[in-house]
Amino acid sequence: MYVNPEWVRLSKAITEKMKADFNQKLKQGYDDIRASQALMEQTMKQQADFQRNFDKQEVAWRNSGSGGGGGGGDSDLRDDGKRSASDHWSDLIRSVDTLNDPSTGGTKQLSNLGSNHFTDGFGNYRTYDDPNATPENQGENGSWTRMTEAQ
């Protein structure tokens, strides 16, 4: 029997190429799994945030006096002239927070993707998810006031 050195070299090269291709596909598979897990975790966090907002709105609705089958009508949903339970539900559905705007004396609706809202009194608004973030420490100029939730 005669061993052809060229055939041995080519056989090893093909084997190494197949191993490299396999390892690349394996790595790609694990990367895809990690990406899927990250997406799942983000989705679960968003669902938890939604549920927290939903629970908050349900508490507001129950505390508004409308949960007990009172006299009916919109006055049954209002709490001493404050926003109605349906106003709170509407905010939840539309993904907004209704906030007291100290610059106008009225209210302003901003996205509820962040829970810390600020205004500079000149019609500019900033929202942050980080409770320690303020416009000033995020590089914004001017004087900013934290906005409060409209009841």
Side-chain angles (χ1 to χ4, degrees):
M1 187 162 129
Y2 171 76
V3 177
N4 183 341
E6 182 64 18
W7 183 87
V8 172
R9 187 187 63 74
L10 286 174
S11 175
K12 284 182 181 178
I14 290 170
T15 301
E16 290 302 316
K17 174 72 170 125
M18 289 175 63
K19 276 185 184 175
D21 289 348
F22 173 80
N23 287 333
Q24 175 59 32
K25 287 289 186 186
L26 185 63
K27 181 186 176 305
Q28 181 181 359
Y30 281 121
D31 290 344
D32 289 346
I33 289 170
R34 280 191 290 279
S36 294
Q37 287 173 333
L39 182 60
M40 180 187 69
E41 289 170 8
Q42 178 186 7
T43 301
M44 295 301 287
K45 181 185 179 301
Q46 289 171 337
Q47 287 177 336
D49 290 343
F50 179 84
Q51 187 63 49
R52 224 178 351 271
N53 283 334
F54 185 89
D55 293 342
K56 180 177 149 187
Q57 295 301 325
E58 184 177 22
V59 168
W61 178 74
R62 291 186 187 281
N63 291 337
S64 72
S66 61
D74 190 49
S75 63
D76 205 27
L77 296 174
R78 296 207 180 269
D79 184 13
D80 298 330
K82 296 178 181 177
R83 299 181 71 238
S84 71
S86 60
D87 292 334
H88 291 280
W89 280 106
S90 175
D91 286 357
L92 178 66
I93 292 167
R94 294 179 298 114
S95 298
V96 298
D97 287 333
T98 300
L99 306 155
N100 296 315
D101 189 343
S103 61
T104 65
T107 59
K108 176 74 176 175
Q109 291 186 333
L110 299 173
S111 169
N112 69 358
L113 292 179
S115 56
N116 301 290
H117 306 282
F118 297 86
T119 181
D120 67 355
F122 296 103
N124 299 306
Y125 303 92
R126 300 293 183 268
T127 298
Y128 302 102
D129 196 31
D130 179 356
N132 298 315
T134 64
E136 291 88 354
N137 69 22
Q138 298 298 313
E140 298 282 350
N141 294 323
S143 176
W144 294 83
T145 304
R146 186 178 297 269
M147 299 171 74
T148 59
E149 185 177 348
Q151 298 296 321

